[in-house]
Amino acid sequence: MSATLLRIHPDNPPLNRIQQAVDVIRKGGVIIYPTDTVYGIGCDIHNAKAVERVCRIKGLNPEKANLSFICHDLSHISDYAHGITTPIYKVLKRALPGPFTFLFEASSKAPRQGGKQRKTVGIRIPDSPIILQLVRELGNPIMSTSVREDENTLDEYVTDPDLIFEKYRAMVDLVIDGGFGNNIPSTIIDCTNDDFELIRQGAGDIEQYL
């Protein structure tokens, strides 16, 4: 197997190219795509085999992996997460789309992880037209993790789509080239206790939205 490299304009993604990527995901494929932070690896959240493939690529245990969901807007979030109070929702509305991952208690609709009901979900709505349009056309969120392997290294391959393609072409089905990515991951905020607890400082500054 060798992946396809699909070049898509980052600001005005043509629908026919987005549809090409959606078709790969619907068939159980794993793709790499740009976000507003680092490039991500993802698949349909409802395809357990594809999720396991994503975990294998990253060397993660499917039962313990903390994968995020990428949604295209806030309407998707309440399907998979509990505990979104009005004050929290107002902050989400101000901060998203943006470089944040928000952690919530998982609802019963959240896909099981390694056959077990997950306890929390990480929600992302990146400020990136390609992935937002892709999720919108797919009709449900995609499971996502970054191509970055080590939080402490600044590897060039995680920003250059050609280098990402060379590294992952034998492991995934499609790599979207949406231009150079960033090297700083999303900021992770834990909202499970009805508050905003900073777990990892990344590209987003939550203070300006509180």
Side-chain angles (χ1 to χ4, degrees), residues 54-78:
V54 170
C55 290
R56 278 201 308 274
I57 290 167
K58 287 289 296 276
L60 302 171
N61 180 338
E63 294 189 8
K64 297 178 180 177
N66 292 317
L67 306 180
S68 301
F69 296 1
I70 291 185
C71 302
H72 73 81
D73 63 23
L74 289 171
S75 65
H76 262 150
I77 293 180
S78 58

PDB file of all heavy atoms in Angstrom, residues 54-78:
ATOM      1  N   VAL A  54      -4.873   3.844  13.457  1.00  0.00           N
ATOM      2  CA  VAL A  54      -4.280   5.117  13.891  1.00  0.00           C
ATOM      3  C   VAL A  54      -3.432   4.892  15.136  1.00  0.00           C
ATOM      4  O   VAL A  54      -2.309   5.397  15.241  1.00  0.00           O
ATOM      5  CB  VAL A  54      -5.381   6.170  14.162  1.00  0.00           C
ATOM      6  CG1 VAL A  54      -4.798   7.406  14.843  1.00  0.00           C
ATOM      7  CG2 VAL A  54      -6.080   6.572  12.867  1.00  0.00           C
ATOM      8  N   CYS A  55      -3.956   4.108  16.077  1.00  0.00           N
ATOM      9  CA  CYS A  55      -3.211   3.820  17.314  1.00  0.00           C
ATOM     10  C   CYS A  55      -1.924   3.055  17.020  1.00  0.00           C
ATOM     11  O   CYS A  55      -0.872   3.346  17.608  1.00  0.00           O
ATOM     12  CB  CYS A  55      -4.084   3.031  18.285  1.00  0.00           C
ATOM     13  SG  CYS A  55      -5.435   3.990  18.988  1.00  0.00           S
ATOM     14  N   ARG A  56      -1.991   2.086  16.111  1.00  0.00           N
ATOM     15  CA  ARG A  56      -0.792   1.311  15.761  1.00  0.00           C
ATOM     16  C   ARG A  56       0.282   2.218  15.147  1.00  0.00           C
ATOM     17  O   ARG A  56       1.462   2.097  15.457  1.00  0.00           O
ATOM     18  CB  ARG A  56      -1.144   0.183  14.783  1.00  0.00           C
ATOM     19  CG  ARG A  56      -1.702  -1.063  15.427  1.00  0.00           C
ATOM     20  CD  ARG A  56      -1.549  -2.288  14.549  1.00  0.00           C
ATOM     21  NE  ARG A  56      -2.073  -2.093  13.207  1.00  0.00           N
ATOM     22  CZ  ARG A  56      -3.352  -2.289  12.866  1.00  0.00           C
ATOM     23  NH1 ARG A  56      -4.229  -2.663  13.779  1.00  0.00           N
ATOM     24  NH2 ARG A  56      -3.749  -2.106  11.627  1.00  0.00           N
ATOM     25  N   ILE A  57      -0.147   3.129  14.281  1.00  0.00           N
ATOM     26  CA  ILE A  57       0.796   4.047  13.631  1.00  0.00           C
ATOM     27  C   ILE A  57       1.537   4.873  14.675  1.00  0.00           C
ATOM     28  O   ILE A  57       2.737   5.116  14.563  1.00  0.00           O
ATOM     29  CB  ILE A  57       0.058   4.958  12.625  1.00  0.00           C
ATOM     30  CG1 ILE A  57      -0.409   4.149  11.419  1.00  0.00           C
ATOM     31  CG2 ILE A  57       0.951   6.112  12.161  1.00  0.00           C
ATOM     32  CD1 ILE A  57      -1.401   4.879  10.520  1.00  0.00           C
ATOM     33  N   LYS A  58       0.803   5.289  15.721  1.00  0.00           N
ATOM     34  CA  LYS A  58       1.417   6.117  16.765  1.00  0.00           C
ATOM     35  C   LYS A  58       2.006   5.287  17.913  1.00  0.00           C
ATOM     36  O   LYS A  58       2.559   5.831  18.858  1.00  0.00           O
ATOM     37  CB  LYS A  58       0.373   7.089  17.343  1.00  0.00           C
ATOM     38  CG  LYS A  58       0.003   8.243  16.435  1.00  0.00           C
ATOM     39  CD  LYS A  58       1.140   9.270  16.291  1.00  0.00           C
ATOM     40  CE  LYS A  58       1.491   9.962  17.573  1.00  0.00           C
ATOM     41  NZ  LYS A  58       0.677  11.105  17.922  1.00  0.00           N
ATOM     42  N   GLY A  59       1.868   3.952  17.843  1.00  0.00           N
ATOM     43  CA  GLY A  59       2.389   3.100  18.910  1.00  0.00           C
ATOM     44  C   GLY A  59       1.600   3.219  20.196  1.00  0.00           C
ATOM     45  O   GLY A  59       2.161   3.150  21.290  1.00  0.00           O
ATOM     46  N   LEU A  60       0.272   3.404  20.076  1.00  0.00           N
ATOM     47  CA  LEU A  60      -0.586   3.610  21.247  1.00  0.00           C
ATOM     48  C   LEU A  60      -1.455   2.387  21.512  1.00  0.00           C
ATOM     49  O   LEU A  60      -1.827   1.659  20.591  1.00  0.00           O
ATOM     50  CB  LEU A  60      -1.495   4.825  21.014  1.00  0.00           C
ATOM     51  CG  LEU A  60      -0.799   6.156  20.718  1.00  0.00           C
ATOM     52  CD1 LEU A  60      -1.826   7.200  20.305  1.00  0.00           C
ATOM     53  CD2 LEU A  60      -0.014   6.632  21.926  1.00  0.00           C
ATOM     54  N   ASN A  61      -1.813   2.188  22.766  1.00  0.00           N
ATOM     55  CA  ASN A  61      -2.770   1.152  23.149  1.00  0.00           C
ATOM     56  C   ASN A  61      -4.178   1.702  22.906  1.00  0.00           C
ATOM     57  O   ASN A  61      -4.554   2.710  23.503  1.00  0.00           O
ATOM     58  CB  ASN A  61      -2.592   0.804  24.633  1.00  0.00           C
ATOM     59  CG  ASN A  61      -3.554  -0.267  25.107  1.00  0.00           C
ATOM     60  OD1 ASN A  61      -4.606  -0.498  24.507  1.00  0.00           O
ATOM     61  ND2 ASN A  61      -3.205  -0.922  26.198  1.00  0.00           N
ATOM     62  N   PRO A  62      -4.991   1.071  22.031  1.00  0.00           N
ATOM     63  CA  PRO A  62      -6.328   1.584  21.719  1.00  0.00           C
ATOM     64  C   PRO A  62      -7.215   1.770  22.950  1.00  0.00           C
ATOM     65  O   PRO A  62      -8.110   2.613  22.958  1.00  0.00           O
ATOM     66  CB  PRO A  62      -6.921   0.524  20.785  1.00  0.00           C
ATOM     67  CG  PRO A  62      -5.747  -0.172  20.202  1.00  0.00           C
ATOM     68  CD  PRO A  62      -4.687  -0.149  21.267  1.00  0.00           C
ATOM     69  N   GLU A  63      -6.968   0.975  24.008  1.00  0.00           N
ATOM     70  CA  GLU A  63      -7.801   1.078  25.208  1.00  0.00           C
ATOM     71  C   GLU A  63      -7.397   2.257  26.087  1.00  0.00           C
ATOM     72  O   GLU A  63      -8.160   2.691  26.936  1.00  0.00           O
ATOM     73  CB  GLU A  63      -7.733  -0.220  26.019  1.00  0.00           C
ATOM     74  CG  GLU A  63      -8.357  -1.402  25.304  1.00  0.00           C
ATOM     75  CD  GLU A  63      -8.477  -2.615  26.202  1.00  0.00           C
ATOM     76  OE1 GLU A  63      -8.217  -2.477  27.410  1.00  0.00           O
ATOM     77  OE2 GLU A  63      -8.850  -3.684  25.696  1.00  0.00           O
ATOM     78  N   LYS A  64      -6.200   2.779  25.867  1.00  0.00           N
ATOM     79  CA  LYS A  64      -5.698   3.862  26.723  1.00  0.00           C
ATOM     80  C   LYS A  64      -5.381   5.144  25.958  1.00  0.00           C
ATOM     81  O   LYS A  64      -5.062   6.158  26.559  1.00  0.00           O
ATOM     82  CB  LYS A  64      -4.442   3.388  27.466  1.00  0.00           C
ATOM     83  CG  LYS A  64      -4.707   2.216  28.402  1.00  0.00           C
ATOM     84  CD  LYS A  64      -3.430   1.755  29.073  1.00  0.00           C
ATOM     85  CE  LYS A  64      -3.698   0.575  30.003  1.00  0.00           C
ATOM     86  NZ  LYS A  64      -2.462   0.057  30.614  1.00  0.00           N
ATOM     87  N   ALA A  65      -5.452   5.079  24.645  1.00  0.00           N
ATOM     88  CA  ALA A  65      -5.056   6.229  23.831  1.00  0.00           C
ATOM     89  C   ALA A  65      -6.005   7.409  24.040  1.00  0.00           C
ATOM     90  O   ALA A  65      -7.225   7.242  24.081  1.00  0.00           O
ATOM     91  CB  ALA A  65      -5.054   5.835  22.356  1.00  0.00           C
ATOM     92  N   ASN A  66      -5.431   8.584  24.200  1.00  0.00           N
ATOM     93  CA  ASN A  66      -6.238   9.798  24.343  1.00  0.00           C
ATOM     94  C   ASN A  66      -6.354  10.503  22.990  1.00  0.00           C
ATOM     95  O   ASN A  66      -5.642  11.471  22.727  1.00  0.00           O
ATOM     96  CB  ASN A  66      -5.610  10.737  25.376  1.00  0.00           C
ATOM     97  CG  ASN A  66      -5.683  10.145  26.769  1.00  0.00           C
ATOM     98  OD1 ASN A  66      -6.704   9.600  27.163  1.00  0.00           O
ATOM     99  ND2 ASN A  66      -4.596  10.248  27.513  1.00  0.00           N
ATOM    100  N   LEU A  67      -7.204   9.974  22.144  1.00  0.00           N
ATOM    101  CA  LEU A  67      -7.401  10.573  20.835  1.00  0.00           C
ATOM    102  C   LEU A  67      -8.499  11.630  20.920  1.00  0.00           C
ATOM    103  O   LEU A  67      -9.442  11.507  21.696  1.00  0.00           O
ATOM    104  CB  LEU A  67      -7.791   9.513  19.804  1.00  0.00           C
ATOM    105  CG  LEU A  67      -6.838   8.313  19.679  1.00  0.00           C
ATOM    106  CD1 LEU A  67      -7.341   7.349  18.618  1.00  0.00           C
ATOM    107  CD2 LEU A  67      -5.430   8.770  19.335  1.00  0.00           C
ATOM    108  N   SER A  68      -8.379  12.650  20.108  1.00  0.00           N
ATOM    109  CA  SER A  68      -9.374  13.726  20.104  1.00  0.00           C
ATOM    110  C   SER A  68     -10.388  13.519  18.983  1.00  0.00           C
ATOM    111  O   SER A  68     -10.154  12.754  18.053  1.00  0.00           O
ATOM    112  CB  SER A  68      -8.684  15.079  19.898  1.00  0.00           C
ATOM    113  OG  SER A  68      -7.741  15.318  20.900  1.00  0.00           O
ATOM    114  N   PHE A  69     -11.514  14.219  19.093  1.00  0.00           N
ATOM    115  CA  PHE A  69     -12.496  14.273  18.007  1.00  0.00           C
ATOM    116  C   PHE A  69     -12.374  15.640  17.353  1.00  0.00           C
ATOM    117  O   PHE A  69     -12.317  16.646  18.056  1.00  0.00           O
ATOM    118  CB  PHE A  69     -13.934  14.172  18.528  1.00  0.00           C
ATOM    119  CG  PHE A  69     -14.298  12.881  19.201  1.00  0.00           C
ATOM    120  CD1 PHE A  69     -13.388  11.859  19.360  1.00  0.00           C
ATOM    121  CD2 PHE A  69     -15.575  12.706  19.694  1.00  0.00           C
ATOM    122  CE1 PHE A  69     -13.741  10.680  19.999  1.00  0.00           C
ATOM    123  CE2 PHE A  69     -15.946  11.533  20.330  1.00  0.00           C
ATOM    124  CZ  PHE A  69     -15.029  10.514  20.482  1.00  0.00           C
ATOM    125  N   ILE A  70     -12.350  15.673  16.042  1.00  0.00           N
ATOM    126  CA  ILE A  70     -12.435  16.957  15.345  1.00  0.00           C
ATOM    127  C   ILE A  70     -13.872  17.127  14.861  1.00  0.00           C
ATOM    128  O   ILE A  70     -14.398  16.292  14.124  1.00  0.00           O
ATOM    129  CB  ILE A  70     -11.455  17.045  14.168  1.00  0.00           C
ATOM    130  CG1 ILE A  70     -10.023  17.097  14.687  1.00  0.00           C
ATOM    131  CG2 ILE A  70     -11.746  18.279  13.324  1.00  0.00           C
ATOM    132  CD1 ILE A  70      -8.965  17.307  13.624  1.00  0.00           C
ATOM    133  N   CYS A  71     -14.511  18.194  15.316  1.00  0.00           N
ATOM    134  CA  CYS A  71     -15.878  18.533  14.917  1.00  0.00           C
ATOM    135  C   CYS A  71     -15.828  19.765  14.018  1.00  0.00           C
ATOM    136  O   CYS A  71     -14.848  20.506  14.015  1.00  0.00           O
ATOM    137  CB  CYS A  71     -16.735  18.847  16.147  1.00  0.00           C
ATOM    138  SG  CYS A  71     -16.813  17.500  17.349  1.00  0.00           S
ATOM    139  N   HIS A  72     -16.907  19.992  13.254  1.00  0.00           N
ATOM    140  CA  HIS A  72     -16.884  21.171  12.383  1.00  0.00           C
ATOM    141  C   HIS A  72     -17.562  22.372  13.034  1.00  0.00           C
ATOM    142  O   HIS A  72     -17.356  23.510  12.603  1.00  0.00           O
ATOM    143  CB  HIS A  72     -17.491  20.868  11.007  1.00  0.00           C
ATOM    144  CG  HIS A  72     -18.971  20.721  10.979  1.00  0.00           C
ATOM    145  ND1 HIS A  72     -19.823  21.791  10.954  1.00  0.00           N
ATOM    146  CD2 HIS A  72     -19.752  19.615  10.963  1.00  0.00           C
ATOM    147  CE1 HIS A  72     -21.064  21.352  10.932  1.00  0.00           C
ATOM    148  NE2 HIS A  72     -21.052  20.043  10.945  1.00  0.00           N
ATOM    149  N   ASP A  73     -18.352  22.136  14.071  1.00  0.00           N
ATOM    150  CA  ASP A  73     -18.916  23.264  14.822  1.00  0.00           C
ATOM    151  C   ASP A  73     -19.383  22.782  16.191  1.00  0.00           C
ATOM    152  O   ASP A  73     -19.282  21.605  16.522  1.00  0.00           O
ATOM    153  CB  ASP A  73     -20.045  23.959  14.056  1.00  0.00           C
ATOM    154  CG  ASP A  73     -21.249  23.056  13.804  1.00  0.00           C
ATOM    155  OD1 ASP A  73     -21.438  22.077  14.557  1.00  0.00           O
ATOM    156  OD2 ASP A  73     -22.008  23.326  12.858  1.00  0.00           O
ATOM    157  N   LEU A  74     -19.898  23.696  16.990  1.00  0.00           N
ATOM    158  CA  LEU A  74     -20.287  23.366  18.365  1.00  0.00           C
ATOM    159  C   LEU A  74     -21.486  22.428  18.453  1.00  0.00           C
ATOM    160  O   LEU A  74     -21.687  21.771  19.470  1.00  0.00           O
ATOM    161  CB  LEU A  74     -20.584  24.659  19.137  1.00  0.00           C
ATOM    162  CG  LEU A  74     -19.366  25.522  19.475  1.00  0.00           C
ATOM    163  CD1 LEU A  74     -19.811  26.874  20.033  1.00  0.00           C
ATOM    164  CD2 LEU A  74     -18.450  24.826  20.458  1.00  0.00           C
ATOM    165  N   SER A  75     -22.286  22.357  17.400  1.00  0.00           N
ATOM    166  CA  SER A  75     -23.490  21.514  17.456  1.00  0.00           C
ATOM    167  C   SER A  75     -23.136  20.040  17.636  1.00  0.00           C
ATOM    168  O   SER A  75     -23.913  19.269  18.193  1.00  0.00           O
ATOM    169  CB  SER A  75     -24.332  21.695  16.189  1.00  0.00           C
ATOM    170  OG  SER A  75     -23.637  21.218  15.052  1.00  0.00           O
ATOM    171  N   HIS A  76     -21.967  19.618  17.161  1.00  0.00           N
ATOM    172  CA  HIS A  76     -21.546  18.224  17.287  1.00  0.00           C
ATOM    173  C   HIS A  76     -21.130  17.870  18.712  1.00  0.00           C
ATOM    174  O   HIS A  76     -21.229  16.729  19.130  1.00  0.00           O
ATOM    175  CB  HIS A  76     -20.342  17.960  16.371  1.00  0.00           C
ATOM    176  CG  HIS A  76     -20.687  17.325  15.064  1.00  0.00           C
ATOM    177  ND1 HIS A  76     -19.957  17.533  13.920  1.00  0.00           N
ATOM    178  CD2 HIS A  76     -21.671  16.472  14.718  1.00  0.00           C
ATOM    179  CE1 HIS A  76     -20.492  16.840  12.935  1.00  0.00           C
ATOM    180  NE2 HIS A  76     -21.531  16.191  13.393  1.00  0.00           N
ATOM    181  N   ILE A  77     -20.629  18.860  19.444  1.00  0.00           N
ATOM    182  CA  ILE A  77     -19.970  18.568  20.717  1.00  0.00           C
ATOM    183  C   ILE A  77     -20.916  17.936  21.734  1.00  0.00           C
ATOM    184  O   ILE A  77     -20.573  16.951  22.395  1.00  0.00           O
ATOM    185  CB  ILE A  77     -19.329  19.847  21.305  1.00  0.00           C
ATOM    186  CG1 ILE A  77     -18.171  20.299  20.403  1.00  0.00           C
ATOM    187  CG2 ILE A  77     -18.826  19.604  22.721  1.00  0.00           C
ATOM    188  CD1 ILE A  77     -17.467  21.549  20.885  1.00  0.00           C
ATOM    189  N   SER A  78     -22.136  18.463  21.848  1.00  0.00           N
ATOM    190  CA  SER A  78     -23.066  17.964  22.864  1.00  0.00           C
ATOM    191  C   SER A  78     -23.508  16.520  22.592  1.00  0.00           C
ATOM    192  O   SER A  78     -24.025  15.853  23.487  1.00  0.00           O
ATOM    193  CB  SER A  78     -24.295  18.874  22.949  1.00  0.00           C
ATOM    194  OG  SER A  78     -24.933  18.959  21.704  1.00  0.00           O
TER     195      SER A  78
END
